[in-house]
Every structure is written in C-alpha cells, then in structure tokens.
Amino acid sequence: MKKIGVLTSGGDAPGMNAAVRAVVRKAIYHNLEVYGIYGGYSGLISGNIKKLELGSVGDIIHRGGTILYSARCLEFKTKEGQQKGIEQLKAHGIDGLVVIGGDGSYRGAKALTEQGFPCVGVPGTIDNDIPGTELTIGFDTALNTAIDAIDKIRDTATSHERTFVIEVMGRDAGDIALWSGLAGGAETILIPEENYDMNEIVARLNKGSERGKKHSIIVVAEGVISGVELGKELKAATNADVRVSVLGHIQRGGTPTAADRVLASRLGAHAVELLINKKGGRAVGIENNHLVDYDIIEALAQKHKVDYSLLKLSKELSI
Ligand code: ADP
C-alpha cells in the first residue's frame, strides 16, 4: 500500500473533517501518499481527485461539514459507475480507499471491495444507525445541538404553560430523539422503532397537568410523524396550548464536540492502519471504548439496535 484515497459521502456530519484529518496525517506519518476525492462518489467517477499534504488538513479539526464535500450519486449504484470509479483510482495509482459516511456510502464501499478494490468504511452520520459501532461520528454533536434547543424551548414553555412538540432528525433511526429526549427530560419520546399510542400521550399530558406541571415536552423523530401534524392532533385531543418546533438542518452543522473529534481521530487512524495491514473490506467502529472492525459485508447485514432500556427509563423518569 503506497497511495490511499479518502472521500466523504451521503449526509454530512460534524466531525467528518476531524476524520479526514486523521486519515491524512496517519497515512503521511506512515509514509503513504493521500489523495482527497472531492464530492463523494460523484467526484470519484469524474476524477475530482487531488493530492493532500499535512497542511491540506490544517485548521479543520474544529469545523463542521466536510472540506471534501459530499454528494449523493445515483450512477454509483450501477456496476458501470463503480467501474468508472475503480478506473479513476487506478489511473491515480491509488491502492486503497477510506469511505467516511453512512450506510448508503458503506454499500458503495462494499461494491468496490467486491470488485477487488480494498475499501474501509468509517461511520460518519448524525443518526447513529450504523451497525458495527456503538457510536457514529456526528451523533454527539447533533445530540448536543438538539439539547441546547430543547433547554431553550423548556424555558419559554414554562413561562407560558405550553406543551411543545419538538421534531428532531431521524427518518428511520430514533437515537437522536431518544437520547435528546432523555437528556432533555421530555415527557414523551416518539421513535420510528416503536409504534405510538395517541391515547397514552394524551393520558401522560393530562396526568402531568393534574399534578400542576407547567409545561410538557414531546420529542418526535421526523420519521414517525411530522411535528406539525402531531401538534394538530394533540391540540384536537386536549385543551393544551400546543406549539411546534422543527429543529431541522441545524442538527447537521456546527462545531463538533470533543467526543466527536476524539472518535473521528481514532476511527480515521484505525481505518488507515487496516489498509496498511492489507485488510480491505472492513468497517471500523467503537465498542466498550475499544476500536473494532468487521467485514463490511457482514456489518451491513446487521441492523443497528435502538436501546429500549433508555426508552423505558425515560418513561419511568417522566411520570
Ligand atoms: P449515507 O451514506 O449517509 O447513508 P446515502 O444513502 O445517500 O447516504 O448514500 C450515499 C451514496 O452512496 C449514494 O448517493 C450512492 O452514491 C452510494 N450508494 C448508496 N447505496 C449504494 C449501493 N447499493 N451500491 C453502491 N453505491 C451506493
């Protein structure tokens, strides 16, 4: 292994830059050359590839987004698109590739590996829904952004004795809702992994107001029902003064937390180590604070599991 490539793909996540930096610095430390592929798999197909030096990744560890840009690329889902990508990699003399992204990006890395080009997947997504790791890069930052907003909303909810519905990101995965709801003391948390019962939500609201609660906070993952729709249904079912706040894309941006920067540095460096040891086709992760790696194909066959004990705990604590 003499030359490696690195790209970021799919939805961006805070901490991706710290991962890119780790890949570049770790590779150069071991006397490898590193090439940045700009614009995810789109840039791979079109050959938007530039050599990166130590200084190319200076002053980015604390920045959100990704200096390599990201994209969604339909063509890369085809064999022809993947072959074009492999040709570009070969033309630049690149022997291995680090892919930082979510499960869609992993599928691309898996396809390249199956066609003989070694790739290592690094989990970068705010959703925390990648199998083979307990945490993904960006999750902690998104969570803290959500908590910051929930705390502010809680202040105004108390002043006006209102019920707030707060919609957070998570089309298929409920971790942002679950963790931010638990950390924010929400009365109710709705996640895509569990069916919800409107009667139960209303009963909890009524019970709270009977014991003199000044406000209620309901955190809902976008994949369950839109916050606006849920707000309408609640208004119709109760006498509460219901307001809705949709947090949206602010959850994707911002300065990565220390935890995300450390995670990104460890995972990015581990990916390079695997390539140096000729171990392509792996997905790196963290378990019990230890670095792990799995066969990327096997990792993709698993499903990230939501921690139902947290949901149970949140219900117990918000009676
Ligand atoms: P994420 O990586 O955040 O899950 P996407 O699901 O949009 O984001 O995937 C990012 C990109 O990965 C896609 O635009 C596509 O180029 C590539 N990709 C997704 N699925 C596959 C697949 N089955 N085979 C090859 N490439 C894929």
Side-chain angles (χ1 to χ4, degrees):
M1 194 74 50
K2 292 261 170 14
K3 295 184 185 179
I4 66 165
V6 55
L7 63 79
T8 50
S9 163
D12 66 329
M16 277 183 161
N17 276 330
V20 171
R21 172 180 176 273
V23 168
V24 172
R25 297 263 166 103
K26 177 79 176 172
I28 295 176
Y29 178 84
H30 289 288
N31 298 314
L32 301 179
E33 282 183 25
V34 198
Y35 287 79
I37 293 139
Y38 288 77
Y41 292 122
S42 275
L44 180 58
I45 289 176
S46 64
N48 193 354
I49 300 174
K50 291 185 194 87
K51 190 166 178 226
L52 298 174
E53 309 291 350
L54 288 173
S56 314
V57 291
D59 207 23
I60 65 166
I61 194 165
H62 61 304
R63 292 185 202 282
T66 159
I67 59 157
L68 294 180
Y69 303 108
S70 191
R72 294 207 152 91
C73 172
L74 279 181
E75 192 185 353
F76 201 72
K77 291 190 178 181
T78 65
K79 267 248 155 64
E80 296 72 44
Q82 292 154 15
Q83 275 306 320
K84 280 189 203 166
I86 290 179
E87 278 160 28
Q88 289 288 1
L89 289 164
K90 285 189 175 154
H92 286 81
I94 297 170
D95 322 293
L97 179 66
V98 177
V99 171
I100 304 165
D103 59 347
S105 306
Y106 270 35
R107 276 189 193 90
K110 173 184 159 228
L112 289 180
T113 302
E114 283 170 341
Q115 288 170 55
F117 196 90
C119 294
V120 175
V122 174
T125 167
I126 61 167
D127 291 325
N128 205 36
D129 62 346
I130 305 292
T133 187
E134 286 169 359
L135 291 168
T136 60
I137 298 164
F139 173 61
D140 187 65
T141 307
L143 186 58
N144 277 285
T145 302
I147 276 297
D148 193 41
I150 291 171
D151 289 348
K152 287 177 175 146
I153 288 168
R154 178 186 275 277
D155 289 344
T156 170
T158 310
S159 310
H160 291 277
E161 306 200 13
R162 278 175 180 151
T163 295
F164 260 92
V165 171
I166 303 170
E167 182 193 303
V168 298
M169 279 190 166
R171 269 195 304 255
D172 307 305
D175 271 17
I176 294 180
L178 180 54
W179 288 59
S180 68
L182 182 58
E187 275 69 37
T188 298
I189 301 169
L190 304 184
I191 59 173
E193 291 89 344
E194 199 185 69
N195 294 329
Y196 71 95
D197 175 357
M198 198 60 181
N199 294 329
E200 190 194 321
I201 301 174
V202 172
R204 289 175 80 83
L205 279 180
N206 289 339
K207 204 171 154 203
S209 70
E210 275 162 24
R211 75 164 169 92
K213 274 191 82 144
K214 294 272 181 261
H215 62 251
S216 287
I217 290 173
I218 296 167
V219 175
V220 56
E222 64 184 329
V224 178
I225 178 176
S226 90
V228 172
E229 191 51 41
L230 181 63
K232 274 189 206 153
E233 289 185 15
L234 273 176
K235 222 174 225 166
T238 63
N239 293 323
D241 184 6
V242 183
R243 300 295 159 104
V244 177
S245 215
V246 179
L247 301 191
H249 280 80
I250 58 164
Q251 293 160 94
R252 280 200 184 285
T255 302
T257 59
D260 268 333
R261 297 183 210 184
V262 171
L263 181 67
S265 301
R266 293 176 77 188
L267 293 178
H270 188 48
V272 173
E273 245 164 43
L274 289 173
L275 285 176
I276 289 172
N277 293 319
K278 299 195 173 60
K279 285 191 188 156
R282 310 293 288 175
V284 299
I286 196 108
E287 277 171 13
N288 295 323
N289 203 22
H290 283 100
L291 290 167
V292 291
D293 52 89
Y294 292 102
D295 183 293
I296 199 164
I297 299 165
E298 282 169 23
L300 273 171
Q302 310 292 319
K303 223 178 138 32
H304 168 75
K305 290 186 197 76
V306 76
D307 186 347
Y308 286 101
S309 73
L310 294 183
L311 195 58
K312 184 167 169 279
L313 178 63
S314 86
K315 286 182 183 167
E316 289 169 358
L317 300 184
S318 61
I319 44 171

